[in-house]
Amino acid sequence: MQIDWLTVVAQIVNFLVLVWLLQRFLYRPIIRAMARREERIATRLAEAQAAREAAEADADRVREQQEALEARREEMLGEARREVAALRARLEADIEAEIEAKRRTWNAHLQDEREAFTARLRQRAGHQVIDIVGRVLRDYAGSDLGGQLAATFADRLAALDAGERDKLKRAAERAEGPARLDSGIALKPGTRSRITRAIHECVGREIEVAYHEDDALILGIRLTIGEQTVEWSAARFLHRLETTLDEVIEGGGRHRPSPAPATG
Amino acid sequence: MEISPDAWVLYEWMGLRLNATILFTWVVMALLVLGSWAITARLSEAEAVSRWQALLEVIVTAIRDQIAEVGGGEAGRYLPFIGTLFLFIATANILALVPGFQPPTGSLSTTAALAICVLIAVPLFSIGERGIGGYLRAYLRPTPLMLPFNIVGEISRTIALAVRLYGNVMSGTVIVGILISVAPFFFPVLMQLLGLLTGLIQAYIFAILAMVYIGSASRNRSAPDGAAAPQETAGTGN
C-alpha cells in the first residue's frame, strides 16, 4: 500500500478536468436538450389547448348564429304565414262583397225586368180583355163598351149610401175647380152627358165635370171631387191577374202586395 | 506481482513519471469525453431522439434522481461532481474486463485523490449553501466539546472512502491474478463477472456516499442536530 503523492495530485487535476469536460460535453447539453424538449412539449400542449378552446369558442359562436338564424327563419315564416292568412281573408272578403254586389245588381235587374214584364203583360192583357169585352158587348148587346161603362158607373153612383153622398156633396162645395173624371177609354159625347147627368142627380146640379183619359185605369171610371174619389174600374181584376202572375213567376215564393181597389 | 498500477512506469522525464494509473485515467477520460461529445454534437430537441441520446438521457436522469433522493433539494448543483465520480469509477471498473487494462481505481493514489476531492467538495458545497459561518458552526454541534471528534470524523470518513474503493477494486484484480495462476480456466471468468458487479456497486456506493456527506453537511441548517448521524453510519457497510 503506497501512495504516490505526485500521482495523487495528477489524478486530482485529471478528475477536475474530467468534471469540467463532462459538464461541457455531457450534462449541460443533455439537460438543456431535455429542458427544451419539455418546454416545446409544454408549449405545444398549451397551443393545442388554446387551439381547442378557440375551436370550441368558434363552435359555440357558430351554433349560436345557427340558432339565431333558425329563430329568425321561424319568425319570418310565421310573419309570412300571418300575412298570407290576412291577404287571403281580405281577398275572400272582397270576393264575397263583389259576389254580393253582383247578386244584388242581378236581383235588382231581375226585379226590374219582372216588374216591366208584369206591367206590359197587365197592359196588354187589360187592353185585350177590353177589346174582347167591347167586341162582345157590341156584337151581342148592340151597345158600345163606353155606354155600358157609363151605365154601370151611374148605377154604382146611385147605389151610394147617404153618408157617402154627403161627403161628396161637402167636397163639391169646398172644391174650387171642376170635378175630374178619368176614364180608361175614350168616351163618346152621349156617354159623357149620361155620366154628367148621373153626377148632377146624385151629387149636385151645379157641378162641372172635366173629362180626361187615363190609360192606367184600362177599363173603368174614376170621379175626383176635391179630396173625395169614387172609382169603378177593371183594375181590381187586373190586380188579381197580376198577383196570380207573380205567384207563377216566383214559383209560390215572394208575393207582391197588390194594390187594393178603391172604394166604389 | 504488481499490486498498484502506480508502480508501472511508462515514461520518466525530469523526475516526472508517467505511470499506468495516469495513462489509463486518460484513456477513461478520453473515452467518456469523446463518447459524450460524439453523441451530444447531434443532440435532438424534438420528440424523436437517437438511441445513444436516449441512453445518455437515461443515465443523466437516473443520476439526477438519485442525487435528489439522497441529498434532496437542487440536484443540478451536484450533478457534475457526483455524476462524474460515478461515471469515472464505473467506466474504469468495467474496462477492467479488457485484457491488459489496469483500472486506475485500483490505485490507492487515485482513490485517495477522489476522496480528497470529496473532502474538499463537502465544505465547499456547504459554504456555498450556508456561508462560511454556518459551515464552521456545524463543528461545534451538538456542543463545542465535540469539535475534535467532528474533525477526526471528517478525516476518517475521507480515508475510509478512499480505502474502501481501493481495496475492493484492487482485491478483485489481485484475486483474478492469483486464481489465474492456480486454476487458469474456469474461476477467473466467474471472478471477472463478480468483479464487474462489484465495480459497478463500488461506483454507486462511492458516488452516493459522497452525496450523503455533501448533503448532510449542507442540510444541517434545516435539521441542525442529528441529521447527519444515521447517514454516516451508512458508510460503514462496505
Side-chain angles (χ1 to χ4, degrees):
Chain A
M1 237 179 78
Q2 70 272 30
I3 293 179
D4 181 1
W5 289 106
L6 202 63
T7 307
V8 168
V9 171
Q11 287 296 71
I12 288 173
V13 171
N14 281 338
F15 179 74
L16 293 179
V17 168
L18 184 63
V19 168
W20 182 78
L21 286 175
L22 286 188
Q23 168 72 358
R24 169 85 173 70
F25 289 112
L26 177 61
Y27 305 122
R28 195 184 298 154
I30 287 284
I31 285 175
R32 193 190 298 147
M34 287 196 294
R36 282 186 184 164
R37 185 183 308 133
E38 285 174 6
E39 192 179 339
R40 269 177 60 129
I41 290 172
T43 307
R44 288 169 64 171
L45 279 178
E47 284 173 359
Q49 182 68 22
R52 184 194 174 118
E53 284 171 0
E56 283 176 354
D58 281 350
D60 285 345
R61 202 173 61 244
V62 166
R63 197 160 47 239
E64 282 173 5
Q65 284 176 353
Q66 209 168 5
E67 285 171 357
L69 276 177
E70 190 71 20
R72 175 87 183 121
R73 194 173 73 95
E74 286 298 322
E75 190 183 337
M76 287 171 73
L77 272 178
E79 200 173 330
R81 282 197 197 100
R82 281 194 296 278
E83 283 180 4
V84 164
L87 182 64
R88 180 176 173 174
R90 201 170 64 241
L91 287 176
E92 280 178 358
D94 286 352
I95 288 170
E96 281 177 2
E98 197 176 338
I99 288 173
E100 181 65 21
K102 281 186 176 173
R103 199 164 61 83
R104 282 203 197 115
T105 312
W106 186 76
N107 276 341
H109 281 309
L110 191 65
Q111 188 70 26
D112 290 347
E113 281 183 8
R114 193 174 57 196
E115 285 174 357
F117 171 73
T118 307
R120 279 199 311 276
L121 186 66
R122 189 177 56 193
Q123 271 189 335
R124 190 169 296 174
H127 288 296
Q128 203 72 32
V129 167
I130 290 162
D131 285 347
I132 291 169
V133 169
R135 200 177 304 137
V136 167
L137 286 175
R138 269 191 305 274
D139 287 351
Y140 295 99
S143 172
D144 66 328
L145 185 56
Q148 291 298 321
L149 194 61
T152 306
F153 182 72
D155 289 346
R156 294 190 66 87
L157 207 57
L160 286 176
D161 57 18
E164 286 180 340
R165 284 189 186 187
D166 287 343
K167 281 183 190 172
L168 284 175
K169 283 176 183 172
R170 280 196 297 274
E173 288 165 2
R174 284 196 302 271
E176 294 173 355
R180 177 189 175 99
L181 193 134
D182 296 302
S183 63
I185 56 174
L187 298 174
K188 293 176 180 174
T191 307
R192 286 186 180 185
S193 62
R194 277 183 63 185
I195 290 172
T196 305
R197 199 163 49 246
I199 289 170
H200 286 170
E201 286 173 2
C202 291
V203 182
R205 297 281 174 192
E206 65 279 9
I207 291 175
E208 292 179 16
V209 180
Y211 286 88
H212 299 277
E213 287 186 15
D214 183 3
D215 282 346
L217 288 174
I218 304 171
L219 176 65
I221 294 172
R222 181 172 58 223
L223 174 65
T224 305
I225 305 173
E227 71 275 10
Q228 292 293 319
T229 303
V230 177
E231 178 183 345
W232 181 90
S233 72
R236 66 188 302 180
F237 304 110
L238 292 178
H239 280 312
R240 189 171 298 160
L241 177 63
E242 187 181 19
T243 306
T244 308
L245 281 172
D246 282 342
E247 286 174 359
V248 170
I249 288 172
E250 293 186 356
R254 192 157 55 93
H255 290 274
R256 288 182 65 193
S258 53
T263 53
Chain B
M1 168 172 194
E2 303 233 351
I3 289 179
S4 170
D6 288 359
W8 184 7
V9 177
L10 299 168
Y11 181 74
E12 186 168 358
W13 178 71
M14 292 178 64
L16 297 175
R17 291 192 300 274
L18 173 65
N19 54 32
T21 304
I22 295 176
L23 178 72
F24 287 122
T25 298
W26 286 350
V27 170
V28 171
M29 285 169 67
L31 209 63
L32 283 174
V33 171
L34 289 178
S36 301
W37 178 76
I39 293 169
T40 57
R42 295 190 301 272
L43 272 186
S44 161
E45 293 174 359
E47 283 75 8
V49 297
S50 67
R51 58 182 67 179
W52 289 108
Q53 185 182 343
L55 174 68
L56 281 195
E57 287 183 4
V58 165
I59 291 172
V60 170
T61 309
I63 294 172
R64 209 164 54 164
D65 290 347
Q66 279 294 323
I67 291 171
E69 200 174 305
V70 174
E74 191 185 350
R77 291 183 55 173
Y78 311 116
L79 176 64
F81 183 74
I82 303 295
T84 306
L85 273 180
F86 173 76
L87 287 179
F88 175 70
I89 297 169
T91 310
N93 290 351
I94 289 170
L95 286 179
L97 287 175
V98 177
F101 185 87
Q102 290 283 337
T105 44
S107 151
L108 193 58
S109 303
T110 305
T111 57
L114 294 180
I116 288 169
C117 286
V118 174
L119 178 73
I120 296 168
V122 168
L124 283 183
F125 278 118
S126 180
I127 289 169
E129 185 83 17
R130 304 190 291 173
I132 192 160
Y135 169 71
L136 290 178
R137 262 198 301 279
Y139 282 95
L140 303 178
R141 283 185 179 147
T143 66
L145 286 177
M146 296 295 287
L147 176 64
F149 300 102
N150 279 333
I151 293 172
V152 169
E154 198 79 14
I155 294 168
S156 63
R157 194 170 63 187
T158 307
I159 294 171
L161 204 57
V163 171
R164 181 189 302 111
L165 180 62
Y166 159 76
N168 276 291
V169 178
M170 188 273 291
S171 68
T173 314
V174 170
I175 287 170
V176 169
I178 293 171
L179 282 178
I180 283 175
S181 61
V182 176
F185 293 113
F186 196 61
F187 272 110
V189 178
L190 286 179
M191 291 313 293
Q192 290 263 12
L193 286 175
L194 193 63
L196 193 63
L197 184 66
T198 316
L200 280 176
I201 289 174
Q202 285 307 313
Y204 177 74
I205 287 174
F206 196 97
I208 287 298
L209 281 180
M211 189 57 229
V212 165
Y213 297 151
I214 294 169
S216 65
S218 303
R219 239 187 348 206
N220 273 348
R221 180 173 52 176
S222 54
D225 298 322
Q231 288 160 341
E232 289 209 26
T233 56
T236 61
N238 250 305

